[in-house]
Amino acid sequence: MATNPSTYIRMQALASLQQQFFEQMGNGGGLSSSLVESLLMPHKPTQREVSAKALTGRIRADAGMLSQASLNAAEGESISQISFDATKFIADSLGKMKTIAQSVSDGSAPITGELQTSYNNLAQGIANRITSASYNGISLLNRPGWTNDQRLSIAPDQKTATLSLQMGNASQTLTLRDLSSMNADVSAASIASQADATSAVVGLSALIRNVEGLRDGYKAQASGYASEAASLSRQSDILSTAAKRAEGTERLPSALLLDMLMSGQGSIFRGES
């Protein structure tokens, strides 16, 4: 197990204090405050800086690791947010298609070329959004776009793919879901006749439920990654600040330093010269 930096400093200072204490006492001298100050502030600042950096190297390394983990979590948030926006658009478009199909089914709207065009445009918009939703070249909803993307692990059923996000010493898996197969169901939801429109309402209702479930999941996932990114960033800042202070040149009062070093080790009495 690695020695805590503050414990290591204390042990080294104690050893030096004890040696010099007995040397001075043996010569009839006392323990002066300048002795303690010299231990805290060596005569060669560069040596002190090297020593401090060695002691705080692990802290700085952990700060860097947490900073990178925060960036990775932010990427997870971006992917989830784009997926949320896309699935929200798709769910809304399906809802508009259902409204049109319902109006044809109940006879409140005649089947016209203009109505059919509006319906078809909504279906095409869904197909376009499935194809275009991406992050950094990663296709988020379209299975054909996953082919040959080495960053993804595609499930045997081809319905999902996973992306690994490194989070410090561990990794998290973000799951992508294919919606390209939904295009066939959308196309099949015809309003060519009143009977077709009635069937379309049923099919579109099922699709809406599925997509809304994905939409809500991506929203919660984006929020979770955002919180994690902020937390990791704060932790990184705390460690970075701790390292900088440990490597600083501030001088502690001698009495306070003695108190800290000798805590739990008994007392040192100043000798009389």
Side-chain angles (χ1 to χ4, degrees):
M1 182 178 296
T3 304
N4 183 286
S6 61
T7 302
Y8 178 79
I9 294 172
R10 178 183 171 189
M11 290 169 60
Q12 295 301 312
L14 276 172
S16 184
L17 275 171
Q18 288 171 353
Q19 179 181 351
Q20 296 188 47
F21 171 76
F22 287 117
E23 287 178 357
Q24 290 195 27
M25 291 301 292
N27 295 327
L31 185 64
S32 65
S33 62
S34 61
L35 169 59
V36 179
E37 291 178 353
S38 68
L39 291 174
L40 183 64
M41 295 290 292
H43 295 296
K44 296 181 179 179
T46 55
Q47 292 180 356
R48 179 185 184 279
E49 290 169 1
V50 170
S51 177
K53 286 182 179 180
L55 290 172
T56 58
R58 178 60 185 272
I59 297 176
R60 288 182 281 107
D62 286 348
M65 178 183 65
L66 289 171
S67 178
Q68 183 59 53
S70 176
L71 294 176
N72 293 345
E75 284 201 329
E77 178 194 2
S78 296
I79 291 172
S80 302
Q81 184 62 48
I82 293 171
S83 299
F84 165 75
D85 292 339
T87 48
K88 182 180 185 302
F89 173 85
I90 293 169
D92 291 346
S93 298
L94 288 170
K96 293 174 183 177
M97 291 180 68
K98 178 183 175 182
T99 298
I100 294 174
Q102 185 66 59
S103 67
V104 173
S105 175
D106 62 24
S108 61
I111 303 172
T112 64
E114 182 179 357
L115 189 68
Q116 184 69 61
T117 297
S118 296
Y119 190 82
N120 291 343
N121 285 342
L122 286 166
Q124 186 58 52
I126 290 172
N128 292 341
R129 196 58 176 265
I130 290 173
T131 302
S132 64
S134 65
Y135 174 82
N136 196 25
I138 301 173
S139 184
L140 303 182
L141 305 175
N142 187 39
R143 180 181 58 199
W146 298 343
T147 305
N148 299 324
D149 192 330
Q150 300 300 318
R151 294 167 293 184
L152 301 177
S153 297
I154 304 174
D157 62 5
Q158 302 286 302
K159 293 181 179 180
T160 62
T162 55
L163 175 68
S164 179
L165 297 175
Q166 193 64 31
M167 298 293 185
N169 292 323
S171 62
Q172 291 188 14
T173 300
L174 193 155
T175 301
L176 310 178
R177 293 171 176 80
D178 172 56
L179 293 184
S180 63
S181 59
M182 190 179 70
N183 288 331
D185 296 326
V186 174
S187 298
S190 171
I191 57 170
S193 68
Q194 195 169 3
D196 287 340
T198 300
S199 296
V201 170
V202 176
L204 291 170
S205 295
L207 292 176
I208 290 170
R209 285 193 297 272
N210 291 338
V211 176
E212 285 181 341
L214 290 178
R215 176 201 63 192
D216 295 344
Y218 283 125
K219 182 179 181 180
Q221 187 170 271
S223 177
Y225 274 120
S227 297
E228 189 164 7
S231 175
L232 289 166
S233 180
R234 285 194 298 271
Q235 293 177 55
S236 175
D237 289 343
I238 289 171
L239 289 182
S240 294
T241 300
K244 289 176 182 177
R245 288 181 177 175
E247 295 170 2
T249 57
E250 293 84 5
R251 207 184 265 255
L252 288 177
S254 302
L256 179 60
L257 176 64
L258 254 181
D259 230 17
M260 177 184 70
L261 293 175
M262 307 315 296
S263 176
Q265 301 293 324
S267 302
I268 291 183
F269 296 92
R270 186 181 304 276
E272 299 294 332
S273 55

